[in-house]
Amino acid sequence: MSLKPRVLFLDAYDSFSNNIIALLEAQCNVHVTKVYIDAVIPDLHGFLTSFAAIVCGPGPGHPSCPKDVGLFKDVWALPDDDIIPVLGICLGFQSLAHELGASVVCLPQPRHGIRTCVTTSSTSIFEDLPEVHTVQYHSLHAVLGKDTSTDLMDTRLWKPSVLCPDLQPLAWDFSGQAGMDSKFQKNPHSILMAIKHKDKPFYGVQFHPESICSNPPAQLVVANWWRSALEWLSCNRPTRLIQEDPVNLVRFRPLVHEPNLDSGGNGQMTRSGSPVSTWSSASSAMTSDSIRETQDYPKLVSATLPIGALTIPSICNALDLSKDESIILDSEMRQLPELGVSSIIGIVLPCTKKITYSVGAKQAKIQQGSKEELVDLDDYEGNIFSFIKAFMFKYKIDTSVERAFCGGLMGYITYEAGLETIGVPVPARSGGPDICFAFIEHSIIIDHKQHTVHIQILQMDKHEYEAESWVTKTASILEDLSKQNAKITLDIQPQTFPQAMRRRTLPTESEYKAKIAHCQQEIGAGNSYELCLTGQTTISLGDDISSWDMFVGLRQLNPAPFAAYVRLGPLTLLSTSPERFMNWSRFQMSSNGLDSSERQLFSTCQFRPIKGTVKKDQVKPDGTVHRVNRLEATEILKTQKEQAENLMIVDLIRHDLYGVCRDVCVESLMVVEEYESVFQLVSVIEGRLCKSMHFTQSTPDETSGIDCLAASLPPGSMTGAPKRRSCQLLQEIENGKPRSVYSGVLGYMCVSGKGDFSVVIRSLYKWDAPGPDHSPWKIGAGGAITTLSTEEDEWEEMLTKLQSTYRLFGSN
């Protein structure tokens, strides 16, 4: 038996739904069950007997379209004997209004991520709340047949209309009259924000009380709704307040992956070692750190030396790593207090084990030298990430060594692999695998904070002499190199390749601006809140250009905390990304003031989305160049457009995290960070995974950072919101061209239990072509399109981002 009343949440595939569920659980002390609007429920009457109330959530589309609202229509049509309290939010609000006679029409200027003051009637669910400051995400609005130019003091605004006699207005937004961006003055002077049914326990709000920028009174509206629902239930449905779990009556769409939403057998989704010493000699500094008490291998064997004059390029050149496969995560040129602390050189040998997967495949491949093993994903719930979790669990170590990476999987996940996780079909295309990871045993870690270099090997068997020999030999080479003042590589001027380009194809201004207009049409129709549009540039180079030389030049031109050089299978990737997608820590003990019997282990998952860009060098009308400073950039990034872009992605990421974590917070909101050629608006969102100290023995299926990774793809900063519908629209707008590794993620999963991934932007990549033909390099660039975007500004932003990489070839 459940001790809490059960609330049914009907999800219209929105990217803020989990935030609302978290708010309901916090404000109302209820258990929430989530069902998608297209779930098949043969006996709705029988199913609903398990619930005390229903929330019809937000989503894309129009309430007159049955596919967009699905089960909402069935809720409003329930016979009187089956009715229970309902709250509609955004699309749910519009659906209620539409079913009861209101017109739902497009706003002249949609409002997405816009913070406004809502004036209320101070009655019903707004009792003692004369106004609330909240966030709106809507392109449509409900019209009850009233003259919306009426003065806000006119009592007629608060009474039912002739057209909709059963709907009582409860709140309006009058901000279109003054104080808003001039664009919003195109909108009606008053926009309906909340309603209730005159006789039935049906309520609706147009705004989003769950947004991180909605104030506490806006969130209190949900608590007030629940209080009114309890009063109605006590009089009309008292048995609904404590119910058993719902019976198995729901069938779900396939391919929608939310790792924490566990069916629980009910058919509906419910939320339910010692540090290494510093270097004196290779032999004396050698240490090893075993993994589990119950097994001897793998074992971490390592040596440490001072960084001295060593650099990433000098280390790679000395060890001749650029000629073969390697994965280099390079933070040397751009270190920030909270990121860019370590660089990782992952050495890929001919015998290195690799995992590859292509979208739509039923199998993954494990390749090791000439051997190849096929893995049937049906044994892992049909999910590549479930297999990766099981693979990493097999090699999990318990270590006290505090460093970024001890060994494990390093590699990439394409944008298209992310699309598959949210049920968006991916057309057939050429190129390499969509997911590729190498299991790195040999690696070099440069700790920029401690100014040390760790040469290490994850020893997988009893051949300890071979492991120690490699570590000793490599450490000796690097110690000698440091004495030769290898740091001279940082003193040279950035190398560019102006003569290398043979052919190029860039997005045309007219074509790109037409796509911007298409995005805004879809936003205006209510099909998206924000669309992250991208364009693709292709470049063909001469035969004599080294990809390693290109990377060394690019990292100097465009220093970034998440730069990377990857040669893995057919892929070559040169990245100077400023954006962390996510990282997660290994599980650690947290007392939180509790006694030892209540202590927990926790792992923190952090996201750092970037949305909002200001170019440093801006050309004035007279042709002179103005260098924008931080103060000027901050003022520009305070505008509604820039703030709305960032806010939408913050709320989206909170939703993604709430799909796996119960404890989610925004550590910093819209902070300006400076990079080589731009200022950017950055937010930090964290979620915490917890497990009891009583369950110290790990299991392969326990929730981990890999679940957060899988639940958050593709990166929200590269899609827009709602994520699923936005990705579907972008496929059409971008003419079905694959983004490939651009807009995907790159990083590692460590055997210690931690991981770190960046978003692949500000990058060049190519896939090796078979035969004598040379594959072109590709550069992706774009920006978030909102209702406040202008075609000219978005075209310039795309060029600014493109130029950060394109200037490697000495061109504008």
Side-chain angles (χ1 to χ4, degrees):
M1 295 287 289
S2 172
L3 298 179
K4 297 179 181 179
R6 302 184 67 96
V7 172
L8 175 64
F9 183 88
L10 296 179
D11 185 0
Y13 292 98
D14 196 64
S15 287
F16 305 143
S17 298
N18 292 337
N19 301 339
I20 299 173
I21 291 171
L23 180 61
L24 286 166
E25 292 182 338
Q27 292 282 343
C28 308
N29 193 31
V30 296
H31 180 85
V32 180
T33 298
K34 174 175 169 177
V35 172
Y36 290 100
I37 56 169
D38 54 357
V40 179
I41 306 179
D43 179 10
L44 185 62
H45 165 80
F47 180 69
L48 290 180
T49 58
S50 298
F51 297 98
I54 302 170
V55 175
C56 297
H62 195 283
S64 66
C65 178
K67 286 182 64 176
D68 291 338
V69 293
L71 287 170
F72 291 1
K73 290 178 66 68
D74 299 322
V75 169
W76 311 131
L78 287 171
D80 288 349
D81 289 344
D82 291 341
I83 285 173
I84 54 177
V86 183
L87 174 65
I89 297 176
C90 200
L91 181 63
F93 157 87
Q94 294 168 4
S95 178
L96 172 60
H98 179 266
E99 289 299 313
L100 293 172
S103 300
V104 179
V105 298
C106 295
L107 284 166
Q109 193 66 43
R111 307 165 73 89
H112 293 293
I114 303 302
R115 290 172 277 188
T116 63
C117 177
V118 170
T119 302
T120 84
S121 62
S122 296
T123 63
S124 185
I125 60 174
F126 293 96
E127 185 176 355
D128 297 326
L129 298 174
E131 62 182 32
V132 294
H133 294 266
T134 188
V135 175
Q136 298 177 36
Y137 290 106
H138 62 111
S139 301
L140 314 174
H141 72 121
V143 179
L144 303 183
K146 296 179 180 294
D147 178 5
T148 56
S149 65
T150 306
D151 185 87
L152 64 89
M153 300 304 294
D154 194 318
T155 58
R156 288 177 296 172
L157 278 177
W158 306 100
K159 296 179 179 179
S161 68
V162 175
L163 181 65
C164 305
D166 291 329
L167 290 180
Q168 174 80 45
L170 294 178
W172 296 85
D173 180 356
F174 299 107
S175 60
Q177 298 182 36
M180 293 292 291
D181 188 293
S182 60
K183 293 181 179 181
F184 290 116
Q185 293 177 10
K186 301 175 185 176
N187 284 335
H189 286 217
S190 44
I191 300 173
L192 186 64
M193 284 288 115
I195 52 176
K196 74 170 185 176
H197 193 286
K198 190 162 60 73
D199 302 313
K200 300 177 181 180
F202 294 168
Y203 296 80
V205 295
Q206 176 64 80
F207 57 84
H208 281 248
E210 83 289 351
S211 172
I212 192 62
C213 285
S214 288
N215 69 353
Q219 298 170 8
L220 192 59
V221 172
V222 174
N224 288 348
W225 164 75
W226 180 241
R227 188 180 68 235
S228 70
L230 289 175
E231 293 171 358
W232 189 91
L233 288 163
S234 296
C235 296
N236 297 275
R237 306 278 192 273
T239 60
R240 298 293 187 97
L241 294 177
I242 299 180
Q243 290 292 330
E244 295 182 2
D245 287 343
V247 293
N248 183 13
L249 292 172
V250 186
R251 296 196 300 275
F252 288 98
R253 297 183 75 259
L255 295 176
V256 179
H257 178 63
E258 292 186 301
N260 76 310
L261 298 179
D262 173 27
S263 66
N266 296 319
Q268 67 285 322
M269 304 302 231
T270 61
R271 282 211 330 136
S272 1
S274 60
V276 182
S277 61
T278 55
W279 175 264
S280 57
S281 70
S283 58
S284 64
M286 195 81 64
T287 65
S288 64
D289 197 64
S290 275
I291 46 171
R292 296 195 185 108
E293 294 179 2
T294 56
Q295 68 183 64
D296 295 325
Y297 299 96
K299 181 192 299 182
L300 186 65
V301 179
S302 66
T304 301
L305 63 155
I307 194 169
L310 296 174
T311 66
I312 299 291
S314 67
I315 292 172
C316 293
N317 289 336
L319 300 177
D320 209 17
L321 298 181
S322 63
K323 292 184 178 179
D324 298 307
E325 291 183 300
S326 58
I327 305 170
I328 301 164
L329 307 182
D330 175 12
S331 299
E332 184 174 67
M333 300 295 287
R334 176 65 181 177
Q335 299 146 42
L336 298 175
E338 295 183 358
L339 48 141
V341 174
S342 297
S343 296
I344 302 170
I345 300 173
I347 300 171
V348 182
L349 302 174
C351 61
T352 295
K353 191 174 291 186
K354 298 176 190 171
I355 297 173
T356 60
Y357 169 78
S358 296
V359 166
K362 301 295 184 183
Q363 298 172 315
K365 293 180 182 179
I366 300 178
Q367 297 171 303
Q368 189 171 20
S370 59
K371 299 177 183 178
E372 183 176 288
E373 175 188 351
L374 295 178
V375 178
D376 188 348
L377 294 179
D378 285 341
D379 296 336
Y380 299 91
E381 305 171 340
N383 190 306
I384 180 61
F385 293 100
S386 294
F387 166 66
I388 289 173
K389 273 186 69 176
F391 180 92
M392 286 302 296
F393 178 79
K394 183 167 63 172
Y395 297 107
K396 185 175 183 292
I397 72 170
D398 299 319
T399 176
S400 61
V401 172
E402 289 293 339
R403 65 185 60 154
F405 185 70
C406 298
L409 292 178
M410 296 180 72
Y412 66 85
I413 303 169
T414 66
Y415 175 77
E416 283 70 30
L419 292 181
E420 186 178 53
T421 68
I422 58 172
V424 176
V426 177
R429 65 212 182 284
S430 59
D434 289 292
I435 295 177
C436 185
F437 285 99
F439 188 74
I440 300 297
E441 299 173 24
H442 299 67
S443 58
I444 299 170
I445 314 301
I446 297 88
D447 187 326
H448 302 295
K449 189 174 182 179
Q450 299 296 327
H451 305 289
T452 54
V453 177
H454 306 288
I455 302 96
Q456 59 188 24
I457 182 170
L458 194 62
Q459 184 186 345
M460 306 302 291
D461 52 32
K462 295 182 179 180
H463 296 92
E464 189 163 346
Y465 173 78
E466 294 179 7
E468 292 184 354
S469 176
W470 180 83
V471 170
T472 302
K473 179 182 176 181
T474 304
S476 179
I477 292 172
L478 297 187
E479 186 181 30
D480 290 343
L481 180 65
S482 181
K483 294 174 182 177
Q484 298 169 16
N485 193 21
K487 206 152 191 167
I488 191 171
T489 56
L490 291 184
D491 300 328
I492 63 173
Q493 290 299 310
Q495 182 181 3
T496 59
F497 302 86
Q499 307 304 318
M501 196 181 302
R502 298 291 181 262
R503 292 184 303 276
R504 65 180 185 179
T505 304
L506 287 84
T508 66
E509 182 173 357
S510 60
E511 180 184 19
Y512 194 77
K513 287 183 175 179
K515 291 178 179 179
I516 295 169
H518 190 168
C519 288
Q520 291 187 313
Q521 288 172 7
E522 297 290 356
I523 293 169
N527 294 323
S528 179
Y529 315 146
E530 174 180 38
L531 288 163
C532 296
L533 178 66
T534 68
Q536 195 171 93
T537 295
T538 60
I539 298 172
S540 296
L541 303 178
D543 299 343
D544 57 342
I545 304 302
S546 157
S547 60
W548 174 250
D549 289 343
M550 288 169 58
F551 174 68
V552 172
L554 185 62
R555 72 194 289 272
Q556 290 178 279
L557 283 172
N558 199 32
F562 297 103
Y565 175 81
V566 178
R567 282 286 294 118
L568 190 59
L571 175 70
T572 303
L573 170 65
L574 320 179
S575 175
T576 53
S577 174
E579 182 173 354
R580 166 176 281 160
F581 175 51
M582 71 165 293
N583 78 328
W584 64 90
S585 66
R586 67 188 186 197
F587 278 94
Q588 305 170 61
M589 186 183 299
S590 172
S591 60
N592 288 332
L594 304 174
D595 62 46
S596 59
S597 64
E598 297 178 302
R599 288 178 179 172
Q600 291 184 315
L601 296 171
F602 71 91
S603 170
T604 300
C605 302
Q606 183 193 87
F607 289 72
R608 296 185 91 259
I610 291 177
K611 266 288 164 272
T613 303
V614 175
K615 186 179 180 180
K616 282 186 175 179
D617 292 335
Q618 302 204 356
V619 181
K620 298 165 68 174
D622 62 2
T624 60
V625 176
H626 171 64
R627 185 75 169 177
V628 176
N629 60 37
R630 178 181 283 271
L631 183 61
E632 293 170 317
T634 300
E635 287 303 310
I636 296 170
L637 291 169
K638 283 181 179 177
T639 62
Q640 282 185 337
K641 173 189 177 296
E642 304 294 344
Q643 300 263 310
E645 278 187 26
N646 197 285
L647 173 59
M648 281 186 260
I649 302 307
V650 170
D651 280 341
L652 180 151
I653 288 172
R654 291 173 61 234
H655 161 88
D656 287 345
L657 273 172
Y658 272 127
V660 183
C661 310
R662 287 193 175 272
D663 183 9
V664 176
C665 64
V666 177
E667 287 294 316
S668 66
L669 185 63
M670 303 187 212
V671 175
V672 178
E673 289 186 355
E674 183 176 0
Y675 293 88
E676 186 69 15
S677 58
V678 296
F679 292 96
Q680 307 233 242
L681 205 56
V682 182
S683 294
V684 178
I685 309 99
E686 292 185 350
R688 178 172 287 195
L689 300 170
C690 297
K691 62 180 181 180
S692 172
M693 283 289 292
H694 294 296
F695 302 101
T696 56
Q697 185 64 43
S698 297
T699 61
D701 58 351
E702 70 181 10
T703 303
S704 73
I706 299 176
D707 292 297
C708 282
L709 174 68
S712 305
L713 294 169
S717 61
M718 303 306 295
T719 64
K723 187 183 283 188
R724 186 168 181 264
R725 181 68 69 90
S726 295
C727 289
Q728 292 168 336
L729 293 171
L730 287 165
Q731 280 191 322
E732 175 189 351
I733 294 167
E734 295 178 359
N735 303 320
K737 290 184 178 179
R739 294 188 183 181
S740 190
V741 70
Y742 169 70
S743 296
V745 299
L746 166 70
Y748 67 85
M749 305 175 209
C750 181
V751 292
S752 68
K754 63 175 64 173
D756 203 350
F757 283 80
S758 65
V759 181
V760 181
I761 53 176
R762 318 290 199 274
S763 60
L764 303 92
Y765 73 93
K766 71 170 182 174
W767 298 102
D768 292 341
D773 295 333
H774 290 274
S775 299
W777 290 88
K778 296 184 179 181
I779 307 173
I785 310 303
T786 71
T787 186
L788 294 173
S789 297
T790 66
E791 292 180 5
E792 188 61 34
D793 286 347
E794 293 300 335
W795 168 249
E796 288 296 327
E797 180 175 333
M798 188 277 289
L799 291 180
T800 296
K801 294 173 179 176
L802 173 61
Q803 181 65 10
S804 67
T805 308
Y806 191 76
R807 62 184 178 150
L808 179 65
F809 306 103
S811 302
N812 288 314

